[in-house]
């Protein structure tokens, strides 16, 4: 195009087609905002009340009884239609409600706000809803925004926590409790809703206890893509099958991973190593593998249960018990991964897709011990000294030096039974990027930040090293398609049978031919062919034979991917849109009926929508003592993958099939994109559906 015929930029930008095409708000967003989530039947009633459900029982922790006396007697409460006129007054009263997001974003958070906003304004249009800005920090600093209809409408069914942002501040000191009380009073709050994970709901319970005397109610909402807030009664009845955001994140990861499966199977040259979020529990990895049928998926909880039977048997022969055979080591894990890679390569598939959960190292004995020890050392240091460990030792060298001094017990003050010379020696054997990762700053709750560690690099470096050894031993080879081999040889007028017998260990008996283990170079190949009398000493190998040999020598090429923040920021699935809106409605019913210290949940998520049942669950009954920052603390117990669950058993039963280490097609599944309309098998998490069978 001649420059003179070009449309000028102003006209181009103002052109209606340009404006439509690049507008900030597109049709998808407009449709999403207009989508009306379904409401559980009880929420169509004019008002609701709470009904105690004493049949749902929990084992109560003694420490919780001691420190949470004001909320420890709470019962599970079902939201039921209200009928009595005298109950109406409380329900329809004008209230001020504060809401805060806490921890990592999870798709659906805006609908929790939409749910509480709609319910509160319907009950009393004079009620006011405030959103604290940047998470719990906003409560401490009294930084808030009043939530209005137009604000809610702008974010309905949209992902992220962008409306009021989030943060990881913990309200864990007297001063912070007092500041929180002051903010609640300044805003004249009747209730505070905390949308968060296990640690934030723990916080909600302590705040509920603290603010009870002030008449301020505190309600928790189970949020986290990790899916590790699940609630079962002591009889095993599921009251909350999953936290919100899990379904969307898993679907978003699955779509990307499925695309990689398609690419891997087309280009057949890469192993795609996909790390997926989930700080500790492997729920997201489990769901993603069910959705995609990736060739290999590690499930942390499975590795923790691992018993090396071979090692046990060998020790038994010596009349000993090998305790190191229980649990997985990094070395052994890398061997298991190599096994899959080698088996697939043997049938011509030197490519594949592997899913590694972010928190897998938590389940590797040797690493878990380091994590616990180092967390304790850092917490002790921070408590004893005025300055923070990471500020005092800003470089890795300085941190290692401190550990070395601890191990040697240079001064009494620093001597710690936590770190001995053996620990120091083992730690120094680790690559420096991994040492750095293990020494990373803990989060505000004292949790190890797995997202900051290059887990996949640690595992894959060991895998690559071991594959090199296997390659040298002639045990890692790419299988050659027998028909292709014969065609190529015949085209060159060579005797496929004679050469086949000399070169391959399984010629004539397999669809994919494996070069003999002794042939690991052109030199050893020549020796084998000369030895079989197919060429003379000093004569060059036929070119086609060289080509075939080269094809059998595997290159191990990887591409690594991290799926986490992207899925956390995805727009919610229809499941999460409906789930979170109803959580907001449930929270309002709990507030409007005077509850405090309860977590809003929806029972029967694993079933059809018509069976969903809104409940309030006493947070105090979910708590137990756990090691945090080197000390025992009362927290909500995380739910990890149950290796006896249906979902896990299905994955185990189909592992070999999905590994597809045999000639023929892979079994990849295409879950498709995150949707909020239409019907599909992915209407709810597959894990939930399987576990409900
Ligand atoms: P929450 O438990 O707060 O919901 O966060 C979960 C998570 O997304 C984990 O999967 C991940 O390990 C972590 O947050 C990442 O934290 P950060 O956002 O601080 O990097």
């Amino acid at each position: 195009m001649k420059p003179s015929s070009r449309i000028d930029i102003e006209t181009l930008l103002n052109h209606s087609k340009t404006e439509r095409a690049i507008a900030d708000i597109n049709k998808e967003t407009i449709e999403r905002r207009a989508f009306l989530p379904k409401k559980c039947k009880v929420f169509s009633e004019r008002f609701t009340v709470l009904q105690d459900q004493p049949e749902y029982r929990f084992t109560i922790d003694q420490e919780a009884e001691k420190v949470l006396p004001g909320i420890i007697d709470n019962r599970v409460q079902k939201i039921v239609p209200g009928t009595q006129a005298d109950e109406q007054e409380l329900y329809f009263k004008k209230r001020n409600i504060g809401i805060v997001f806490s921890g990592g974003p999870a798709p659906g958070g805006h609908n929790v706000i939409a749910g509480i906003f709609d319910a509160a304004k319907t009950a009393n249009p004079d009620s006011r809803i405030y959103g604290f800005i940047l998470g719990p920090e906003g409560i401490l600093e009294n930084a808030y925004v009043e939530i209005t209809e137009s604000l809610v409408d702008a974010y309905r069914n949209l992902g992220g926590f962008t409306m009021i942002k989030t943060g990881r501040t913990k309200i864990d000191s007297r001063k912070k409790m007092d500041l929180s009380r002051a903010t609640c009073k300044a805003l004249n709050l009747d209730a505070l809703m905390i949308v968060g994970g296990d640690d934030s709901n723990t916080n909600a319970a302590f705040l509920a206890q603290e603010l009870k005397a002030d008449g301020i109610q505190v309600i928790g909402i189970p949020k986290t893509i990790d899916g590790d807030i699940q609630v079962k009664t002591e009889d095993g009845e599921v009251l909350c099958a999953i936290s919100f955001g899990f379904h969307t994140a898993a679907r978003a990861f699955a779509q990307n991973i499925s695309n990689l499966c398609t690419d891997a199977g087309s280009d057949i040259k890469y192993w795609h190593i996909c790390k997926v979020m989930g700080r500790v529990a492997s729920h997201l990895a489990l769901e993603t593998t069910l959705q995609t049928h990736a060739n290999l998926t590690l499930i942390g909880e499975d590795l923790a249960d691992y018993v090396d039977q071979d090692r046990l048997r060998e020790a038994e022969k010596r009349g000993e018990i090998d305790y190191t055979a229980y649990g997985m080591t990094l070395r052994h894990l890398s061997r298991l991964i190599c096994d899959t890679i080698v088996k697939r390569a043997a049938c011509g598939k030197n490519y594949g897709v592997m899913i590694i959960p972010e928190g897998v190292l938590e389940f590797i004995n040797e690493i878990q011990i380091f994590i616990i020890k180092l967390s304790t050392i850092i917490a002790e240091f921070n408590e004893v000294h005025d300055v923070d460990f990471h500020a005092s030792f800003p470089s890795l060298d300085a941190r290692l030096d401190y550990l070395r001094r601890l191990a040697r017990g240079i001064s009494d003050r620093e001597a710690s039974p936590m770190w001995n010379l053996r620990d120091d020696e083992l730690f120094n054997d680790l690559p420096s990027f991994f040492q750095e990762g293990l020494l990373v700053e803990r989060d505000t709750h004292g949790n190890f930040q797995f997202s900051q560690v290059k887990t996949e690099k640690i595992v894959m470096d060991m895998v690559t090293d071991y594959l090199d050894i296997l390659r040298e031993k002639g045990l890692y080879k790419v299988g050659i398609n027998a028909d292709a081999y014969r065609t190529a040889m015949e085209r060159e007028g060579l005797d496929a049978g004679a050469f086949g017998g000399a070169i391959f260990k399984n010629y004539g008996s397999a669809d994919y031919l494996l070069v003999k283990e002794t042939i690991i170079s052109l030199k050893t190949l020549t020796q084998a062919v000369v030895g079989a009398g197919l060429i003379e000493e000093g004569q060059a190998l036929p070119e086609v034979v060289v080509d075939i040999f080269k094809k059998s020598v595997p290159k191990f090429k990887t591409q690594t991917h991290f799926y986490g923040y992207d899925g956390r920021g995805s727009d919610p699935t229809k499941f999460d849109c409906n789930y979170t809106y109803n959580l907001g409605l449930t929270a309002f019913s709990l507030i409007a009926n005077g509850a405090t210290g309860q977590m809003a949940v929806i029972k029967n998520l694993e079933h059809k929508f018509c069976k969903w049942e809104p409940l309030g669950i006493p947070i105090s009954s979910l708590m137990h003592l756990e090691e945090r920052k080197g000390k025992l603390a009362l927290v909500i117990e995380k739910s990890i993958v149950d290796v006896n669950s249906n979902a896990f058993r299905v994955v185990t039963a189909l592992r070999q099939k999905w590994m597809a280490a045999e000639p023929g097609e892979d079994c990849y599944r295409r879950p498709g994109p995150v949707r909020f309309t239409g019907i599909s098998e992915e209407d709810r998490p597959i894990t939930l559906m399987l576990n409900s069978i």
Side-chain angles (χ1 to χ4, degrees):
M1 195 191 290
K2 284 191 216 143
S4 59
S5 68
R6 270 198 336 198
I7 182 169
D8 74 85
I9 188 68
E10 278 308 305
T11 318
L12 179 60
L13 285 175
N14 294 326
H15 195 287
S16 61
K17 278 190 185 169
T18 312
E19 280 181 347
R20 257 202 317 277
I22 63 163
D24 287 347
I25 309 297
N26 65 357
K27 270 199 178 149
E28 166 82 14
T29 307
I30 295 167
E31 275 172 29
R32 271 199 167 266
R33 285 169 168 171
F35 172 73
L36 289 179
K38 287 199 271 189
K39 290 203 270 186
C40 293
K41 194 158 167 272
V42 69
F43 296 125
S44 312
E45 303 289 337
R46 211 171 81 76
F47 72 102
T48 57
V49 291
L50 307 179
Q51 195 177 70
D52 276 3
Q53 308 287 297
E55 71 271 27
Y56 297 139
R57 283 185 304 268
F58 299 92
T59 311
I60 306 293
D61 191 284
Q62 283 182 355
E63 181 67 11
E65 257 176 82
K66 210 160 70 194
V67 299
L68 299 169
I71 56 170
I72 200 72
D73 293 326
N74 283 5
R75 293 277 163 272
V76 172
Q77 294 169 312
K78 186 172 167 179
I79 318 278
V80 296
T83 50
Q84 307 293 322
D86 58 337
E87 294 162 339
Q88 293 191 33
E89 205 181 319
L90 180 65
Y91 187 92
F92 291 107
K93 156 183 151 182
K94 168 186 176 303
R95 349 181 107 74
N96 294 333
I97 300 172
I99 182 160
V100 67
F101 290 137
S102 179
H110 291 133
N111 274 21
V112 175
I113 297 187
I116 188 113
F117 180 88
D118 291 351
K121 291 284 186 184
T122 309
N124 189 325
D126 292 331
S127 286
R128 300 176 84 168
I129 316 292
Y130 300 102
F132 289 105
I133 305 291
L134 282 172
E137 191 77 25
I139 305 181
L140 303 181
E141 295 182 355
N142 196 5
Y144 65 89
V145 60
E146 178 163 359
I147 296 185
T148 58
E149 182 137 19
S150 58
L151 189 59
V152 174
D153 287 350
Y155 287 99
R156 284 180 196 270
N157 307 302
L158 297 189
F161 285 176
T162 32
M163 186 204 283
I164 53 173
K165 328 288 179 211
T166 185
R168 289 196 184 275
T169 300
K170 190 177 179 192
I171 301 177
D172 57 354
S173 65
R174 167 83 353 242
K175 190 172 164 209
K176 290 183 188 171
M177 284 284 179
D178 290 343
L179 282 171
S180 306
R181 175 184 287 106
T183 298
C184 292
K185 289 199 162 170
L187 280 174
N188 205 11
L189 289 192
D190 296 277
L192 176 64
M193 263 173 69
I194 298 189
V195 182
D198 50 339
D199 288 324
S200 311
N201 274 284
T202 297
N203 238 217
F206 283 105
L207 270 171
Q209 170 67 38
E210 178 75 20
L211 301 177
K212 194 169 179 196
D214 301 279
I216 301 165
Q217 301 158 250
V218 182
I219 298 295
I221 303 277
K223 168 238 66 162
T224 174
I225 60 161
D226 292 3
D228 55 14
I229 303 191
Q230 301 177 7
V231 181
K232 273 190 193 163
T233 64
E234 65 181 21
D235 305 318
E237 174 121 23
V238 179
L239 300 188
C240 171
I242 206 81
S243 46
F244 82 76
F246 169 81
H247 185 231
T248 310
R251 298 275 296 120
F253 299 167
Q255 187 197 354
N256 287 325
I257 292 174
S258 152
N259 293 346
L260 293 177
C261 292
T262 308
D263 191 79
S266 310
D267 204 19
I268 63 165
K269 70 176 180 219
Y270 291 122
W271 263 93
H272 288 278
I273 316 301
C274 309
K275 179 169 84 165
V276 299
M277 259 192 189
R279 182 177 303 155
V280 174
S282 304
H283 298 294
L284 280 166
L286 186 70
E287 177 68 20
T288 312
T289 198
L290 283 163
Q291 300 226 3
T292 60
H293 304 179
N295 303 110
L296 177 64
T297 301
L298 307 179
I299 301 294
E301 292 80 342
D302 177 32
L303 303 181
D305 275 359
Y306 182 80
V307 180
D308 188 338
Q309 297 294 352
D310 288 347
R311 224 182 312 161
L312 274 188
R313 268 191 297 273
E314 271 171 37
E316 212 175 279
K317 280 188 213 151
R318 299 192 301 271
E320 294 166 7
I321 300 173
D322 184 348
Y323 291 104
T324 62
Y326 295 95
M328 180 66 70
T329 61
L330 259 185
R331 198 180 140 86
H332 196 74
L333 177 62
S334 64
R335 305 298 188 258
L336 292 181
I337 296 174
C338 288
D339 196 43
T340 300
I341 294 166
V342 167
K343 279 186 182 149
R344 277 181 61 85
C347 51
K349 298 174 180 170
N350 193 32
Y351 66 88
V353 176
M354 184 188 313
I355 301 177
I356 300 185
E358 180 186 60
V360 73
L361 297 180
E362 171 91 8
F363 297 93
I364 308 283
N365 279 355
E366 67 211 281
I367 305 300
Q368 197 190 29
I369 292 169
F370 275 140
I371 292 174
I372 295 173
K373 287 189 169 209
L374 292 171
S375 296
T376 310
I377 289 168
I378 294 170
E380 271 176 12
F381 182 94
N382 289 346
E383 203 173 291
V384 172
H385 300 76
D386 259 356
V387 262
D388 161 79
F389 178 86
H390 292 88
S392 304
F393 307 110
S395 68
L396 176 63
D397 281 347
R399 287 170 201 172
L400 292 178
D401 184 56
Y402 176 72
L403 289 177
R404 206 165 303 127
R405 281 189 286 131
L406 269 191
R408 297 205 178 120
I410 281 175
S411 84
D412 280 351
R413 193 163 167 223
E414 285 170 350
S416 161
M418 269 287 147
W419 200 252
N420 56 36
L421 286 171
R422 176 86 185 123
D423 293 323
D424 207 48
E425 201 182 314
L426 287 174
F427 195 67
N428 279 307
D429 277 349
L430 300 175
S432 56
F433 79 89
F434 190 20
Q435 291 174 328
E436 211 147 355
L438 290 170
L439 281 163
V440 78
E441 206 165 344
R442 276 45 183 168
D443 76 3
T444 42
H445 301 272
N447 294 310
F448 182 72
Q449 304 201 59
F450 279 104
S451 58
Q452 314 240 347
V453 179
K454 291 200 164 46
T455 313
E456 68 286 13
K457 180 162 164 50
I458 294 156
V459 177
M460 293 317 293
D461 278 2
M462 293 188 78
V463 166
T464 309
D465 287 351
Y466 191 54
L467 283 176
D468 285 344
I469 296 173
L470 293 178
R471 200 186 283 110
E472 271 163 34
K473 285 187 176 168
L475 295 170
Y476 174 30
K477 309 257 190 194
V478 179
I480 302 292
N481 181 287
D483 291 338
Y485 162 75
R486 267 188 294 271
T487 312
M489 293 296 277
E490 280 160 16
R491 202 170 37 231
E492 297 301 318
L494 292 168
D495 182 345
F499 275 90
I503 303 171
F504 301 111
K505 65 177 183 186
N506 56 351
Y507 187 75
S509 62
D511 293 339
Y512 277 82
L513 305 174
L514 282 175
V515 170
K516 288 178 180 168
E517 283 155 24
T518 46
I519 304 178
I520 52 165
S521 60
L522 282 176
K523 196 170 156 203
T524 44
L525 173 67
T526 312
Q527 281 165 3
V529 176
V530 170
L534 295 166
I535 57 168
E536 297 294 324
E537 188 87 47
Q539 193 184 340
L541 282 168
E543 220 170 290
V544 64
V545 172
V546 173
D547 283 349
I548 288 166
F549 171 72
K550 283 187 179 164
K551 279 187 189 152
S552 79
V553 180
K555 288 187 194 69
F556 181 60
K557 297 214 278 189
T558 57
Q559 296 288 349
T560 49
H561 314 264
F562 177 26
Y563 296 115
Y565 300 102
D566 52 339
R568 267 184 6 182
S570 169
D571 283 332
T573 55
K574 188 162 76 171
F575 173 86
D576 272 327
C577 286
N578 287 332
Y579 178 18
T580 46
Y581 189 69
N582 282 282
L583 280 176
L585 300 177
T586 306
F588 179 75
S589 284
L590 291 168
I591 292 168
N593 286 288
T596 189
Q598 299 288 80
M599 183 165 78
V601 303
I602 307 286
K603 187 172 181 277
N604 292 337
L605 286 173
E606 59 277 34
H607 299 293
K608 283 192 198 134
F609 181 81
C610 59
K611 294 195 169 167
W612 286 17
E613 204 178 274
L615 300 177
I617 295 182
I619 305 177
S620 56
S621 56
L622 313 178
M623 298 173 94
H624 77 153
L625 285 173
E626 206 174 274
E627 190 274 340
R628 287 294 169 90
K629 296 186 181 173
K631 286 192 186 142
L632 283 180
L634 196 61
V635 291
I636 293 186
E637 190 170 5
K638 269 192 204 316
S639 295
I640 56 173
V641 170
D642 176 2
V643 291
N644 294 310
S645 64
N646 286 352
F648 181 77
R649 286 166 51 226
V650 166
V651 168
T652 311
L654 295 174
R655 218 170 234 167
Q656 290 293 327
K657 183 169 181 248
W658 296 347
M659 186 192 294
E662 55 193 15
E665 290 299 308
D666 285 300
C667 308
Y668 300 137
R669 179 173 184 274
R670 294 166 186 259
V674 170
R675 302 191 309 174
F676 75 106
T677 52
I679 295 167
S680 77
E681 294 95 326
E682 285 87 8
D683 256 2
R684 66 206 63 240
I686 299 181
T687 317
L688 260 57
M689 200 271 293
L690 292 176
N691 288 347
S692 72
I693 296 174

